[in-house]
Amino acid sequence: MASVPRSFLLLSIIPTILILCADFACCNTGRKTGDGLDTDFSGFSVPLEHSFEVDDVSRFRMRGALQLRGGRETSVSLSQSQLSEEDRNTLKEVAAVDGLYKIRVPRVSLTDRQTERQMDGYLTAFVRACSLVESHLSDVITLHTDVSGYLIGVSIVTIPGACRGTEVEDEVDLEAFNTTLTIIVPTNAPQPETALFIERMDIEHEKRGKPQEQKSFFAKYWMYIVPLVLFLMMSGAQDQSGGGAANGGGR
Amino acid sequence: MKPPAKMSKPTSLFVIFFSLFVMSEAVFEDQVGKFDWRQQYVGKTLFAHFDSHSQSSKKLFLATDKNIFASFNSRTGELFWRHVDKAGPEGTIDILLLHGQDALMVVGGGRLLRSWDTNMGGLNWEAVLDTGSFQAACFVAMQDTVKHVAVLKKAAISLHYLTNGHQKWVENLPDSDTVQYQAVYSGGEEEVYVLGVVPNSHLTIIAYSLEDGEIIKQRSVEAPWLSSVESSCVVVGHGVLMCVDTATLALYALPIQAEEAPQFNQILLQSLDLEVSPGFQPVLVSSQPHPARSPISEFFLQLGPDHHVLLQLNADGYTIAPLRDFQPAFLVSFSTTGEKTVAAVMTPKNETACAINLFSADSGRRLLDTTVIFPLDLNGGKPFKLYVHAFLKKDDSVGYRVLVQTQDHALTFIQQPGRVVWTREEALADVVTMEMVDLPLTGTQAELEGEFGKKADGLFPMVLKRLSSQVILLQAWLAHLWKLFYEARKPHGQVKNEVTIETLSRDEFNLQKMMVMVTASGKLFGIDSKSGSILWKHYLENVQPNAVFKLIVQRTTAHFPHPPQCTLLIKDKDTGLASLHVFNPIFGRKSHIAPPALPRPILQSLLLPVIDQDYAKVLLLVDDQYKVTAFPSTKNVLQQLQEMASSIFFYLIRSDQGNLSGFRLRKDLSTERIWEVVLPTEVQKIVAVNGKRPNEHVHSQGRVMGDRSVLYKYLNPNLLAVVTESTDAHPERAFVGVFLVDGVTGRIIHEAVQRKARGPVHFVHSENWVVYEYWNTKSRRNEFSVLELFEGTELYNSTVFSSLDRPHLPQVLQQTYIFPSPITTMEATLTEKGITSRHLLVGLPSGAILSLPKMFLDPRRPEVVTEHSREENLIPYAPEMPIRTEWFINYNQTVARVKGIYTAPSGLESTCLVVAYGLDIYQTRVYPSKQFDVLKDDYDYVLISSVLFALFFATMISKRLAQVKLLNRAWR
């Protein structure tokens, strides 16, 4: 049993796994600045801000710019600059007191072509500053949209995600973000699979061959019933005459 | 595991195999009512009538605010029959009239006129009325026989035959846009009078001919003081309209049938030496014993909350004579038997009782020996209404029975001489929320437990104490054995002993619990789950009708000698202001602990796992400025909160703005917003959010698959299931959204959209799955969908789960099925350790409760059967979910309008306690994996022990024989 290849297991799951419609975008580090991006396409850019303070009061600053492109193929890319010396120190300090590193993006719509793309308010997410430091600024930012293309949520995780208290010695590790950026649109929940089921049933029926026609009771057992009835009739007639005779005899 | 034998005919056989293997759990006939009970209720009484048709009749007819018409046995308080109409305004009972064997009812704001046979409860006929809002109705008699019923609508009056409901005539009312027609009167003559009013201007009287509906006469009377006929006027004597006015402090009398231009005759209250309590709107009470005759000329005038006067209209029809002054008197009522009309008056006697006396209506004299005492329950409401049934005794004196309705919707039936025959707690027809609390230990068990609670006094006293408590235990055990032996000789039925609050103690398997139920009227009940008897009740006065309740168990019974403690959060829905009621759930007594004052509206309450030095869990209340109040807020608690502040996260949901946000507690008990998710309200609105139950245990971390590898479950205790519905209601574009959001980090774990679907959505969120039910607008059917989350074949961190350290998203599997019935509520079974397989308990509109195995809602059900899926016991996918009648856990005990199902674990792993509530309350036990840890009732102890003994002796003998044989062989 244990020798069953793993791919087999996967195969059996795949049909039912919902494939997350994750449209991947590029992961852009600060070294490749955003001047190479297509600006002529219908994309637009929104600021990605972050905040990390020792006293945990949010003061959001620019981290980079999200280049969003709506339409059929939603895509997103990020251009961000390096962390300054001062920021690096603050981040380390925040990590030391187990503070939070927060990011926010404004609420926008990816599909709305009108000017009213932006709504008031922000979408906020956080991660522990220590895990960001310990992962050497490798974070995964995910943007979630709803069915009509509004941005509804943002999330940030670091890989690895744990805080083990390891010191980050090398300053270079904290200079540039190594960001993976994805956009997730809602998946369509499945409908009941009636068509497939019926098809399968049909195949099964065919495989089993034509089921025997249901014969009526009489058609099945006529060879027993007819003699029995005949026999009864005969004996009944005999009985009647015999009974009459007995009656007569009794008188 | 049974290896499924050669199964080449896959699907159908397989399904049958499973249905046989897993579920055969209907009750046996002799088990009916053994572990379950049902109580039927009707709701708050609006109209009540005694069956005065025959002297010996035991029937009582009620129409209630729950749109129910019911008949009770007045001797026992049991239901004879009950008709449950549609909930909501469509089924509202506007009026109930009783005449002879017919009960007439106008339903749904004047939509239908129904006649019921009071004897059997059958429907005689039903007539659809013309549109228009209902105003009034009365019987119309001709030559001493009641043959018609008149129904007054806003703009029309119609007359119907009593025998078949056919309309005799219908007439439009003149000037119905200016005149408000409010009353209809018939005194047995050839005419029907309709009274309408133009507020503060004049009164309109129209007389219709009974024969053809022709207007015989139409009068208009100046009445600048009159604003409503309904609230301030009654008809007394021979067709005299009597009105009372607060401004002028006067009574006004007007003969309706007068030929010439009539005038109101003003009688100042001062001239009768009467005075109205300040700020009180006087009320008139009259009585028309028989529709064929005019009302009696005596009537009550209520001058204050506890002041009534019996007045008499003199024969001239203009002057009034006071008969008797009743002060103090809460409630009054008229009743007629034969030719005698009596007035019943309820007066306060002392703190705990009220007295009811009968008075002769025509003289105001007290009738001898008619005093009845009504005991006032200190934990109940005040008397609210009095229904009196008078009858003539053999010696021609008047006897009577009283039905008293109190503010907490309870009905009490009292018979002479002062005996409470029965009480019905109709508040239980509207249970809002409930909890089940373990019963306390018995005295001896508590004695043993108490030993651990106290600090040590030294070695020797401790030993002594231990010895003494064990002697007590031994005594108790011997007593128990003796009782068993003694009762074994009695027939089984008689052993049942009454449950009282004093004898309450936990049973061996913790199957008997205290059900704490909170009702919409603000009355709390403690009900024994085994028998269903009400052990305590507590009425909270000043509870607003729109209040929302949340019941929290802060301390369970496990912490002897500290009493268990429940807290009820009562929140006004409009203002958000809240108050706390802290009580002991076993005895219902209010706790002496003072709850904190909550001056600001409360947004969220959360129960922390933090406990104070008295083992009470800490309740945090977040107000609209995001400030946190802790309860209890002792120094110890505040210190603990400060230490743990950075790891206490909570979320708030504002469904009107589509906003979900997360907060973290700061050391100074202020809060900090750390995440925010916004679902635009233009697209979808949040309809429900559900976390997991905190007392849920999951036994197995994963599922073993066909190839012996393990698929680990994603068990995030902070996961929230958020269900949304689209604002666009078009069937093609409507959708239902399901979001799984981590409550700590605000991360959207999964986001799915069910297209062409709309609510109402019912869902259950438990373990690693969410099951939801919705209406498919395209196929026009109900569908069930199940989502399961798995981490994969490897666990990220197997020791502890932290939302902050779980970077990978889980795998999500989903499957959808057709369900052949709409549902009203859904809940999952819950057991002690979570070993038992789960069932979903689905409340159907038919009143049945379906126990649906979760196995059928498994997204891994394969479409094509393989070796592996068979190994795993997966049922092949079938699009339709079956409903089998043997899955109905309440067999024929249907629960009308089931609103909620509550599940609680018992001490037996196999057993889950279930309470379904709605109009009725039904309690039972379910065994989702059958009773694997219980020996059967018919277990053959004798056979097993005799076999054991026989084997034992056989071994002994054969051993001996073998020895002998060996010895012999050795000698040889």
Side-chain angles (χ1 to χ4, degrees):
Chain A
M1 265 304 179
S3 63
V4 173
R6 210 186 157 113
S7 58
F8 188 86
L9 158 85
L10 278 176
L11 268 177
S12 65
I13 306 170
I14 280 168
T16 36
I17 291 187
L18 295 171
I19 297 143
L20 295 172
C21 306
D23 295 301
F24 239 77
C26 74
C27 43
N28 217 344
T29 57
R31 271 158 233 171
K32 298 178 203 162
T33 38
D35 41 23
L37 287 164
D38 311 328
T39 39
D40 52 87
F41 198 50
S42 66
F44 59 102
S45 107
V46 289
L48 170 70
E49 294 167 292
H50 61 179
S51 154
F52 42 97
E53 300 294 334
V54 181
D55 57 357
D56 266 351
V57 178
S58 303
R59 272 182 289 275
F60 283 97
R61 301 182 289 280
M62 200 66 167
R63 169 171 159 178
L66 286 166
Q67 205 67 35
L68 296 160
R69 238 167 296 154
R72 193 157 296 167
E73 292 279 312
T74 332
S75 71
V76 61
S77 58
L78 174 66
S79 57
Q80 52 193 355
S81 48
Q82 297 189 354
L83 277 183
S84 69
E85 175 82 44
E86 192 190 342
D87 282 348
R88 283 201 296 268
N89 287 334
T90 329
L91 188 62
K92 274 184 153 180
E93 279 171 36
V94 175
V97 297
D98 195 14
L100 302 183
Y101 173 84
K102 295 183 217 167
I103 58 163
R104 74 172 187 193
V105 289
R107 291 175 59 198
V108 288
S109 166
L110 301 185
T111 49
D112 221 341
R113 305 249 164 225
Q114 275 134 37
T115 47
E116 287 292 312
R117 252 183 189 140
Q118 197 157 338
M119 289 157 287
D120 53 333
Y122 288 90
L123 305 167
T124 326
F126 75 97
V127 71
R128 286 165 81 187
C130 56
S131 66
L132 190 69
V133 170
E134 282 176 37
S135 66
H136 306 275
L137 302 189
S138 329
D139 55 354
V140 179
I141 295 177
T142 314
L143 299 170
H144 296 265
T145 68
D146 70 357
V147 272
S148 47
Y150 286 109
L151 222 51
I152 57 163
V154 61
S155 75
I156 176 169
V157 288
T158 60
I159 294 179
C163 279
R164 291 200 173 76
T166 46
E167 280 288 308
V168 180
E169 295 294 335
D170 202 350
E171 281 286 316
V172 184
D173 284 339
L174 289 182
E175 265 180 9
F177 286 99
N178 173 23
T179 306
T180 315
L181 195 61
T182 50
I183 262 203
I184 292 185
V185 298
T187 53
N188 278 332
Q191 303 280 332
E193 293 277 2
T194 37
L196 222 103
F197 183 74
I198 293 167
E199 203 176 290
R200 212 179 65 221
M201 292 295 274
D202 286 346
I203 292 170
E204 234 161 69
H205 271 283
E206 267 170 39
K207 235 192 254 171
R208 228 184 278 168
K210 277 180 197 162
Q212 285 209 328
E213 262 179 50
Q214 284 291 318
K215 287 180 185 171
S216 73
F217 180 79
F218 195 75
K220 254 185 195 166
Y221 302 108
W222 65 271
M223 62 276 259
Y224 304 107
I225 294 166
V226 169
L228 195 83
V229 169
L230 278 175
F231 175 74
L232 280 174
M233 275 165 66
M234 300 289 275
S235 64
Q238 267 179 5
D239 233 36
Q240 232 170 23
S241 57
N247 251 350
R251 262 240 179 113
Chain B
M1 226 227 72
K2 251 190 227 177
K6 291 254 173 187
M7 291 260 264
S8 47
K9 287 183 214 167
T11 24
S12 53
L13 248 184
F14 205 65
V15 172
I16 293 165
F17 168 76
F18 263 103
S19 56
L20 291 176
F21 181 58
V22 196
M23 284 103 353
S24 47
E25 51 145 341
V27 273
F28 292 103
E29 202 177 341
D30 60 338
Q31 284 179 326
V32 165
K34 203 171 167 190
F35 306 119
D36 63 321
W37 50 263
R38 176 180 68 163
Q39 286 167 0
Q40 292 186 306
Y41 294 96
V42 295
K44 180 191 173 187
T45 306
L46 298 180
F47 307 97
H49 290 283
F50 289 91
D51 186 10
S52 47
H53 185 60
S54 71
Q55 191 72 280
S56 59
S57 173
K58 292 187 272 186
K59 285 200 191 75
L60 184 66
F61 304 105
L62 295 182
T64 70
D65 69 334
K66 294 264 179 285
N67 307 347
I68 287 160
F69 178 44
S71 171
F72 286 101
N73 182 338
S74 63
R75 306 285 194 277
T76 60
E78 277 162 19
L79 269 178
F80 279 129
W81 43 259
R82 177 179 80 168
H83 292 290
V84 182
D85 204 347
K86 281 179 191 147
E90 235 181 306
T92 333
I93 297 171
D94 298 316
I95 197 165
L96 173 69
L97 300 168
L98 199 70
H99 180 259
Q101 293 237 23
D102 297 326
L104 260 282
M105 218 159 85
V106 179
V107 178
R111 198 169 52 92
L112 294 170
L113 180 66
R114 282 189 185 139
S115 165
W116 302 92
D117 172 34
T118 57
N119 226 2
M120 304 299 292
L123 184 68
N124 289 332
W125 49 260
E126 181 181 83
V128 180
L129 298 175
D130 293 343
T131 51
S133 68
F134 172 79
Q135 295 296 329
C138 77
F139 284 118
V140 179
M142 207 159 46
Q143 280 125 33
D144 244 20
T145 48
V146 181
K147 280 186 180 162
H148 304 104
V149 59
V151 179
L152 180 70
K153 295 274 195 107
K154 200 170 162 28
I157 178 168
S158 56
L159 203 70
H160 297 261
Y161 290 101
L162 215 53
T163 47
N164 52 17
H166 290 175
Q167 188 175 292
K168 188 171 184 184
W169 50 259
V170 59
E171 290 297 325
N172 282 328
L173 296 164
D175 306 325
S176 59
D177 43 347
T178 53
V179 184
Q180 297 172 12
Y181 292 98
Q182 288 175 333
V184 57
Y185 164 74
S186 157
E189 296 91 357
E190 298 284 304
E191 291 127 21
V192 181
Y193 295 91
V194 173
L195 306 175
V197 64
V198 177
N200 304 322
S201 167
H202 63 271
L203 177 84
T204 306
I205 304 171
I206 307 168
Y208 284 93
S209 156
L210 202 55
E211 271 316 306
D212 50 5
E214 213 177 302
I215 294 180
I216 296 172
K217 57 191 171 196
Q218 190 172 351
R219 299 263 182 279
S220 182
V221 188
E222 281 291 305
W225 43 269
L226 185 65
S227 57
S228 165
V229 176
E230 214 175 3
S231 62
S232 51
C233 297
V234 290
V235 180
V236 295
H238 292 286
V240 175
L241 186 71
M242 186 65 68
C243 296
V244 63
D245 177 41
T246 333
T248 51
L249 291 174
L251 289 170
Y252 292 88
L254 170 82
I256 297 173
Q257 288 127 320
E259 288 300 322
E260 329 69 74
Q263 279 295 317
F264 270 111
N265 182 30
Q266 191 188 41
I267 304 147
L268 286 175
L269 289 179
Q270 219 172 355
S271 68
L272 298 168
D273 279 339
L274 298 175
E275 204 177 323
V276 180
S277 305
F280 188 79
Q281 170 83 35
V283 182
L284 289 165
V285 181
S286 73
S287 166
Q288 184 176 13
H290 196 273
R293 263 156 265 155
S294 44
I296 57 166
S297 44
E298 290 79 22
F299 59 98
F300 271 111
L301 174 64
Q302 188 179 5
L303 296 166
D306 59 347
H307 187 192
H308 289 81
V309 189
L310 183 64
L311 301 170
Q312 188 175 38
L313 183 72
N314 291 337
D316 58 7
Y318 286 102
T319 52
I320 287 169
L323 287 180
R324 196 176 177 124
D325 195 10
F326 296 102
Q327 192 178 22
F330 292 140
L331 300 169
V332 292
S333 176
F334 282 111
S335 179
T336 305
T337 174
E339 293 301 311
K340 283 185 187 171
T341 299
V342 290
V345 178
M346 181 188 257
T347 53
K349 193 161 182 265
N350 53 33
E351 291 267 293
T352 58
C354 282
I356 303 166
N357 282 298
L358 276 198
F359 295 86
S360 157
D362 42 8
S363 64
R365 268 205 316 273
R366 198 169 85 87
L367 301 177
L368 289 177
D369 297 328
T370 55
T371 308
V372 156
I373 304 297
F374 170 70
L376 270 180
D377 188 355
L378 289 179
N379 292 324
K382 293 198 175 65
F384 172 71
K385 208 157 179 191
L386 209 59
Y387 303 95
V388 181
H389 178 219
F391 53 88
L392 284 177
K393 287 191 206 160
K394 281 191 184 108
D395 56 349
D396 221 27
S397 64
V398 181
Y400 72 117
R401 304 185 184 102
V402 200
L403 183 70
V404 184
Q405 185 185 357
T406 45
Q407 278 171 337
D408 53 352
H409 305 176
L411 294 175
T412 310
F413 191 80
I414 310 171
Q415 214 167 15
Q416 276 180 298
R419 193 166 62 88
V420 173
V421 186
W422 49 263
T423 305
R424 284 185 68 91
E425 292 292 351
E426 290 300 339
L428 283 171
D430 201 352
V431 174
V432 184
T433 177
M434 68 166 292
E435 283 288 342
M436 268 186 167
V437 183
D438 291 351
L439 292 178
L441 302 165
T442 53
T444 46
Q445 286 169 319
E447 176 83 15
L448 206 63
E449 288 276 320
E451 197 179 319
F452 303 109
K454 282 171 197 152
K455 291 281 157 278
D457 314 317
L459 189 66
F460 191 63
M462 286 286 277
V463 171
L464 272 186
K465 181 136 184 25
R466 161 60 62 89
L467 283 178
S468 71
S469 55
Q470 277 180 345
V471 167
I472 294 170
L473 269 186
L474 187 71
Q475 259 178 355
W477 186 63
L478 287 175
H480 175 72
L481 277 188
W482 170 248
K483 202 175 150 202
L484 270 185
F485 173 72
Y486 191 74
E487 277 171 358
R489 292 182 302 176
K490 283 189 193 166
H492 195 70
Q494 292 177 8
V495 188
K496 246 186 201 167
N497 39 357
E498 272 291 295
V499 189
T500 59
I501 208 152
E502 284 79 27
T503 59
L504 273 186
S505 66
R506 201 179 300 179
D507 61 336
E508 220 171 336
F509 296 120
N510 203 0
L511 289 163
Q512 186 179 8
K513 293 196 182 201
M514 177 67 84
M515 292 159 53
V516 180
M517 298 193 122
V518 181
T519 63
S521 63
K523 196 166 189 184
L524 312 182
F525 291 90
I527 299 175
D528 170 36
S529 76
K530 199 173 185 181
S531 62
S533 51
I534 296 169
L535 297 176
W536 59 263
K537 44 201 168 187
H538 187 90
Y539 181 56
L540 299 172
E541 282 171 44
N542 321 322
V543 168
Q544 302 299 317
N546 60 351
V548 282
F549 300 91
K550 188 174 176 185
L551 185 61
I552 303 139
V553 182
Q554 276 196 296
R555 181 166 54 219
T556 61
T557 327
H559 305 286
F560 188 82
H562 301 288
Q565 181 181 327
C566 273
T567 301
L568 181 69
L569 179 71
I570 308 153
K571 186 171 139 185
D572 193 301
K573 214 173 189 173
D574 298 333
T575 62
L577 289 174
S579 62
L580 294 177
H581 173 70
V582 188
F583 63 100
N584 179 335
I586 303 299
F587 303 108
R589 280 195 292 266
K590 195 173 176 191
S591 168
H592 58 271
I593 303 166
L598 304 167
R600 301 212 58 86
I602 296 298
L603 296 180
Q604 170 80 295
S605 66
L606 58 157
L607 193 67
L608 296 182
V610 181
I611 51 169
D612 71 347
Q613 69 271 35
D614 290 339
Y615 305 98
K617 281 185 184 164
V618 176
L619 181 69
L620 283 191
L621 300 159
V622 186
D623 65 19
D624 64 341
Q625 291 182 332
Y626 309 111
K627 282 261 164 39
V628 168
T629 313
F631 172 70
S633 55
T634 56
K635 213 176 200 177
N636 177 307
V637 168
L638 294 178
Q639 195 186 336
Q640 282 191 59
L641 280 181
Q642 268 181 14
E643 279 164 20
M644 295 182 60
S646 65
S647 61
I648 295 174
F649 297 86
F650 62 92
Y651 63 90
L652 287 178
I653 286 152
R654 310 201 66 152
S655 48
D656 54 331
Q657 297 165 9
N659 186 311
L660 292 91
S661 44
F663 294 80
R664 181 161 87 153
L665 200 65
R666 285 208 184 117
K667 285 202 174 10
D668 57 348
L669 293 190
S670 64
T671 56
E672 165 188 19
R673 188 188 295 251
I674 48 172
W675 59 264
E676 201 167 1
V677 167
V678 186
L679 303 170
T681 44
E682 303 91 82
V683 183
Q684 53 196 333
K685 54 180 192 296
I686 300 173
V687 288
V689 179
N690 222 339
K692 290 178 188 174
R693 291 178 64 166
N695 57 346
E696 172 183 282
H697 294 274
V698 181
H699 185 256
S700 82
Q701 286 276 308
R703 289 182 55 167
V704 181
M705 295 195 292
D707 60 358
R708 296 284 182 270
S709 65
V710 177
L711 189 60
Y712 287 99
K713 294 174 184 170
Y714 179 78
L715 297 167
N716 182 350
N718 308 316
L719 198 64
L720 301 175
V722 180
V723 173
T724 62
E725 272 182 53
S726 63
T727 38
D728 192 348
H730 187 275
E732 280 296 312
R733 292 187 296 270
F735 65 86
V736 165
V738 177
F739 297 84
L740 301 178
V741 181
D742 189 300
V744 170
T745 62
R747 193 176 182 200
I748 298 174
I749 302 291
H750 183 66
E751 188 185 345
V753 170
Q754 195 80 49
R755 303 264 179 195
K756 291 170 189 140
R758 90 178 138 72
V761 181
H762 301 273
F763 70 111
V764 174
H765 180 199
S766 176
E767 275 186 52
N768 64 329
W769 47 265
V770 177
V771 171
Y772 60 94
E773 186 260 9
Y774 59 91
W775 172 257
N776 186 327
T777 49
K778 191 188 174 205
S779 312
R780 307 178 66 76
R781 63 192 177 201
N782 288 90
E783 288 177 4
F784 254 117
S785 195
V786 56
L787 273 162
E788 278 196 26
L789 294 100
F790 292 100
E791 290 223 355
T793 45
E794 271 168 47
L795 268 183
Y796 178 79
N797 178 353
S798 55
T799 47
V800 66
F801 188 95
S802 167
S803 285
L804 296 170
D805 178 20
R806 217 24 81 137
H808 305 292
L809 285 174
Q811 299 171 2
V812 181
L813 310 182
Q814 187 168 15
Q815 236 173 32
T816 307
Y817 317 88
I818 304 163
F819 194 66
S821 164
I823 75 168
T824 52
T825 184
M826 187 153 67
E827 186 54 271
T829 59
L830 193 67
T831 52
E832 181 90 7
K833 296 269 184 288
I835 300 168
T836 309
S837 60
R838 309 290 296 270
H839 276 202
L840 284 173
L841 299 170
V842 183
L844 305 181
S846 63
I849 293 159
L850 182 77
S851 177
L852 186 69
K854 169 71 179 57
M855 213 172 180
F856 279 87
L857 288 157
D858 182 349
R860 303 188 58 246
R861 282 174 70 176
E863 263 156 30
V864 181
V865 184
T866 61
E867 196 73 25
H868 286 297
S869 66
R870 216 172 287 158
E871 184 88 14
E872 257 191 89
N873 267 340
L874 292 175
I875 309 164
Y877 180 78
E880 189 161 16
M881 189 73 60
I883 290 185
R884 301 212 179 111
T885 39
E886 68 264 26
W887 289 352
F888 291 154
I889 56 169
N890 54 343
Y891 45 106
N892 64 354
Q893 308 273 313
T894 51
V895 185
R897 293 204 198 131
V898 53
K899 199 166 68 176
I901 297 173
Y902 179 87
T903 53
S906 73
L908 283 174
E909 171 54 33
S910 66
T911 310
C912 169
L913 303 175
V914 177
V915 181
Y917 53 89
L919 197 55
D920 306 339
I921 297 173
Y922 180 74
Q923 191 278 141
T924 189
R925 301 171 188 172
V926 290
Y927 318 99
S929 300
K930 298 215 265 183
Q931 288 179 286
F932 60 82
D933 51 1
V934 178
L935 290 180
K936 274 185 194 137
D937 276 352
D938 53 355
Y939 185 76
D940 204 340
Y941 294 93
V942 180
L943 183 76
I944 288 287
S945 41
S946 56
V947 164
L948 260 179
F949 276 114
L951 281 175
F952 178 74
F953 285 116
T955 8
M956 296 290 281
I957 293 162
S958 55
K959 199 174 168 189
R960 175 80 192 135
L961 288 177
Q963 271 175 348
V964 171
K965 196 174 179 187
L966 268 178
L967 193 68
N968 285 344
R969 191 182 290 162
W971 275 109
R972 211 178 286 157

